Amino acid sequence: MISTIKHPTPSLTCSRLIPKKGLTSSPNFLPLRNSENLSCNALTKKPLYISSVEGFGLGSLLRTRKPQIECKAYEADKSLPLDINIDQQAQSEAAQKLKITVYFATWWALNVVFNIYNKKVLNAFPYPWLTSTLSLAAGSLIMLVSWATRIAEAPKTDLDFWKSLLPVAVAHTIGHVAATISMSKVAVSFTHIIKSAEPAFSVLVSSLLLGESFPWTVYLSLLPIIGGCGLSAVTELNFNMTGFMGAMISNLAFVFRNIFSKKGMKGKSVSGMNYYACLSILSLLLLAPFAFAVEGPQLWAAGWQTALSQIGPNFVWWVVAQSVFYHLYNQVSYMSLDQISPLTFSIGNTMKRISVIVSSIIIFHTPVQPVNALGAAIAILGTFLYSQ
């Protein structure tokens, strides 16, 4: 704690003030020794260290003509912190906001690219279980190579880490497969309109399972989100119940994933990037057996030949692109989750869908009725109100 001690005379005795090397903040610093005839009344029971002395000495007094000595000190045990530079704190906060903004912009851009290629692959190769598996496999391979070549530092994990990661991997696997199944049945825009209801699921889960409470304005903001999604679903030209339920299940699963991830990342030395890499590897191990059981190599081989005959070599590039961009956008999103709360993550995830919905409608020429567009706009407006 900075304390200021003032005395009207230029002489001072201070047997409890101890000089400390390297703490001068002014060129007028003069060490104080017990042998010097200096006096001041220091109202403290703890030894003090001098941080600066202003107006000390005859020359200084003649120059400034101040009839006082100002002595600044702090307690030796540093039980109370020194004043923080407000300008440095403001710069630090601005840098943090800029960092999160860059993360969000990169995350959204990568997600748009992934959704475009993912839909192209599913249109030509309608096997969502294998497509989901290839996405996780590509990310796992990228990170394993990065760790082996020391491009990225390998995380230090133990058994407890993998145990805490298991529920996150289960939720991530379910949400990933459910979303891919949804996009294989309906338009990308419709899937993301339904998935824009994720904040409602987040509030519901946080209230019922975590015991969190929210202001009444938060609950009111959920009404247009739910209403807008419902209106879009009713008026969707290509409505499919499997696609609708897939998006709803994905919403619920990803909310649990975000909450479990935030809890699992607390107190861990694993960064957001490596955390998602470990998550991809564990999810791949969970998903691969189910993909083989549900679809199987025979269907994959036949579907692959059909897609190559219809699309040509570009189909292979589409598969590679959707797999790589899936890993990249999720990796960046986890780097964002490392800095923010699960609810804020859900808000960013929902706002991201605006760019996905608009770009997919333009690229795939998705027919949109005015009522359907109105429902999407209402849902997005509700998300904005929720974020406020």
Side-chain angles (χ1 to χ4, degrees):
M1 178 182 72
I2 296 294
S3 60
T4 302
I5 307 169
K6 299 182 180 179
H7 198 278
T9 63
S11 64
L12 161 72
T13 301
C14 196
S15 61
R16 305 194 65 167
L17 294 181
I18 305 172
K20 188 170 183 180
K21 186 177 180 181
L23 292 175
T24 62
S25 61
S26 150
N28 293 328
F29 174 82
L30 183 65
L32 297 184
R33 298 184 178 87
N34 292 338
S35 60
E36 294 177 344
N37 186 21
L38 305 171
S39 106
C40 80
N41 185 17
L43 299 179
T44 177
K45 295 182 180 181
K46 300 177 181 178
L48 298 176
Y49 288 124
I50 297 301
S51 64
S52 67
V53 178
E54 299 177 4
F56 189 81
L58 182 60
S60 177
L61 290 173
L62 291 175
R63 288 193 302 270
T64 61
R65 298 192 178 185
K66 287 186 178 180
Q68 66 179 16
I69 295 174
E70 187 171 320
C71 177
K72 298 178 180 179
Y74 69 87
E75 292 181 353
D77 65 351
K78 300 183 181 180
S79 58
L80 293 176
L82 298 173
D83 291 343
I84 299 175
N85 190 310
I86 298 177
D87 291 337
Q88 292 180 352
Q89 187 177 14
Q91 291 177 359
S92 177
E93 291 177 355
Q96 181 68 10
K97 290 181 179 178
L98 177 61
K99 180 180 179 181
I100 294 176
T101 302
V102 171
Y103 279 165
F104 270 43
T106 307
W107 170 25
W108 296 348
L110 292 172
N111 187 259
V112 168
V113 177
F114 158 72
N115 277 277
I116 292 172
Y117 281 109
N118 190 47
K119 185 58 178 177
K120 286 185 174 183
V121 170
L122 292 171
N123 285 341
F125 185 77
Y127 297 100
W129 288 84
L130 178 59
T131 304
S132 302
T133 304
L134 292 176
S135 300
L136 296 174
S140 301
L141 180 61
I142 289 172
M143 292 310 301
L144 289 173
V145 172
S146 299
W147 294 336
T149 56
R150 299 186 181 277
I151 295 176
E153 185 178 355
K156 297 179 180 179
T157 60
D158 52 21
L159 184 59
D160 290 336
F161 171 81
W162 291 100
K163 286 182 178 178
S164 65
L165 188 65
L166 181 59
V168 185
V170 172
H172 178 70
T173 304
I174 295 173
H176 178 38
V177 173
T180 308
I181 291 174
S182 176
M183 279 190 273
S184 70
K185 299 295 183 181
V186 296
V188 176
S189 57
F190 177 70
T191 297
H192 282 275
I193 290 172
I194 301 304
K195 284 177 67 63
S196 66
E198 187 174 317
F201 286 85
S202 184
V203 170
L204 181 65
V205 171
S206 298
S207 300
L208 297 180
L209 299 183
L210 302 181
E212 296 182 9
S213 59
F214 303 93
W216 62 270
T217 50
V218 171
Y219 295 103
L220 285 180
S221 68
L222 299 180
L223 296 179
I225 296 177
I226 298 172
C229 291
L231 184 61
S232 296
V234 171
T235 57
E236 174 64 30
L237 295 176
N238 300 316
F239 180 84
N240 179 280
M241 182 56 70
T242 302
F244 175 77
M245 291 305 299
M248 296 292 283
I249 293 172
S250 178
N251 276 339
L252 187 61
F254 281 147
V255 167
F256 277 106
R257 182 199 66 176
N258 296 341
I259 293 174
F260 291 150
S261 295
K262 196 64 179 179
K263 286 185 176 182
M265 293 170 73
K266 285 184 178 179
K268 301 292 183 182
S269 59
V270 180
S271 65
M273 181 179 68
N274 282 336
Y275 189 90
Y276 179 72
C278 295
L279 176 60
S280 293
I281 295 172
L282 188 54
S283 295
L284 175 62
L285 297 176
L286 294 173
L287 177 58
F290 289 94
F292 274 94
V294 174
E295 294 174 345
Q298 292 182 349
L299 292 177
W300 297 339
W304 189 270
Q305 292 298 325
T306 302
L308 283 177
S309 63
Q310 293 177 351
I311 308 300
N314 282 338
F315 173 72
V316 178
W317 159 247
W318 292 356
V319 173
V320 173
Q322 75 90 24
S323 301
V324 171
F325 279 104
Y326 175 80
H327 173 76
L328 292 178
Y329 101 76
N330 273 287
Q331 190 175 71
V332 175
S333 73
Y334 263 79
M335 293 168 68
S336 304
L337 184 60
D338 210 6
Q339 308 288 329
I340 57 179
S341 68
L343 284 178
T344 305
F345 183 87
S346 293
I347 295 170
N349 204 23
T350 303
M351 298 302 290
K352 167 206 69 181
R353 303 194 192 286
I354 299 175
S355 57
V356 175
I357 291 170
V358 173
S359 61
S360 65
I361 289 174
I362 294 173
I363 292 174
F364 295 108
H365 305 287
T366 306
V368 179
Q369 291 183 327
V371 179
N372 188 265
L374 177 62
I378 293 174
I380 293 171
L381 175 62
T383 302
F384 174 78
L385 296 175
Y386 174 86
S387 66
Q388 297 302 305

